[in-house]
Amino acid sequence: SQQGEEDPQALSIQEGENATMNCSYKTSINNLQWYRQNSGRGLVHLILIRSNEREKHSGRLRVTLDTSKKSSSLLITASRAADTASYFCATDLANQAGTALIFGKGTTLSVSS
Amino acid sequence: SAVISQKPSRDICQRGTSLTIQCQVDSQVTMMFWYRQQPGQSLTLIATANQGSEATYESGFVIDKFPISRPNLTFSTLTVSNMSPEDSSIYLCSALRGGSNTEAFFGQGTRLTVV
């Protein structure tokens, strides 16, 4: 079953612009993770944010987490054509170590040069 | 992070046949999972592969259709049985080394087309 919703479902921007994707989830979590998928291949892990963290950075990526609203956002700054991919958020279940991730529906990002 | 080798990477199969997908991790992991991703969709968990015992299936997935093995801490297989065109999907293996707050890593997926 899906954990929640992501919006937008699709996003088209120009190179150099910022891209923001949002994710909502339903249950209490230990952490939330963001993944990238290129053309239906395997998933690449981008960043993990723990439930007691509010913001995390990794290179051009900035992730925020609001556990009171059960939502997260992924910001990609200064986007490049190579950022074109599908982006998924995924959560585990609080108080259950080692559970499978539950994925959101994903955002398809298209960056044109 | 560990490396997962998944094979085959793709296959085209006749309806009514079965396909076994293999997943090999380069180091011991605590948990292994199988996901399905239908065209244009997100990932849906099929089951947790339990080492030395029967897999734990999610609602809508049954052992007769998707038998899973996990004989040790680094290897698992998923069989898609008696295939129909509706089984055409990407199947992904995932593994988790530790407990909470550790990243899950994924194989490259198996793109299955049933004709």
Side-chain angles (χ1 to χ4, degrees):
Chain A
S1 61
Q2 300 307 131
Q3 171 68 292
E5 299 288 328
E6 279 158 285
D7 73 271
Q9 290 188 354
L11 179 61
S12 294
I13 59 174
Q14 298 287 319
E15 264 192 328
E17 294 180 339
N18 296 341
T20 299
M21 290 160 265
N22 302 298
C23 165
S24 63
Y25 57 93
K26 298 176 182 175
T27 63
S28 296
I29 62 173
N30 292 312
N31 63 69
L32 183 145
Q33 305 184 43
W34 284 90
Y35 287 83
R36 184 184 72 215
Q37 185 180 40
N38 291 85
S39 301
R41 299 302 306 278
L43 274 70
V44 174
H45 184 264
L46 295 176
I47 198 164
L48 180 153
I49 186 165
R50 302 183 183 193
S51 60
N52 62 354
E53 297 176 315
R54 291 297 166 258
E55 186 172 311
K56 204 163 183 180
H57 298 254
S58 177
R60 293 184 296 112
L61 306 180
R62 173 179 168 248
V63 169
T64 63
L65 179 64
D66 186 337
T67 53
S68 66
K69 296 180 179 178
K70 290 188 168 59
S71 67
S72 173
S73 68
L74 171 67
L75 168 67
I76 303 175
T77 61
S79 63
R80 306 165 181 169
D83 294 328
T84 295
S86 294
Y87 292 83
F88 296 93
C89 71
T91 57
D92 67 351
L93 294 173
N95 303 317
Q96 294 186 43
T99 61
L101 295 179
I102 308 299
F103 283 80
K105 294 184 177 181
T107 295
T108 300
L109 174 65
S110 177
V111 183
S112 53
S113 54
Chain B
S1 62
V3 174
I4 297 182
S5 299
Q6 188 175 333
K7 59 181 181 182
S9 59
R10 59 177 60 224
D11 207 343
I12 301 173
C13 300
Q14 296 292 320
R15 66 178 66 200
T17 64
S18 298
L19 175 72
T20 295
I21 303 167
Q22 297 181 2
C23 177
Q24 177 73 57
V25 190
D26 68 349
S27 57
Q28 291 187 351
V29 291
T30 54
M31 307 293 291
M32 294 183 74
F33 310 98
W34 288 96
Y35 289 84
R36 181 177 72 183
Q37 185 178 26
Q38 293 177 304
Q41 303 297 313
S42 184
L43 281 74
T44 299
L45 180 65
I46 297 172
T48 300
N50 299 310
Q51 194 250 330
S53 64
E54 190 172 290
T56 304
Y57 290 84
E58 297 299 304
S59 176
F61 298 96
V62 295
I63 188 171
D64 290 345
K65 177 67 176 177
F66 298 101
I68 289 170
S69 77
R70 189 180 172 196
N72 56 51
L73 292 175
T74 63
F75 184 77
S76 179
T77 66
L78 167 74
T79 299
V80 186
S81 303
N82 188 25
M83 288 183 285
S84 67
E86 292 71 35
D87 295 320
S88 297
S89 291
I90 297 172
Y91 293 85
L92 294 118
C93 170
S94 175
L96 194 62
R97 182 179 283 122
S100 58
N101 295 320
T102 57
E103 69 175 85
F105 43 98
F106 287 80
Q108 284 297 302
T110 297
R111 184 181 292 271
L112 171 62
T113 302
V114 183
V115 297

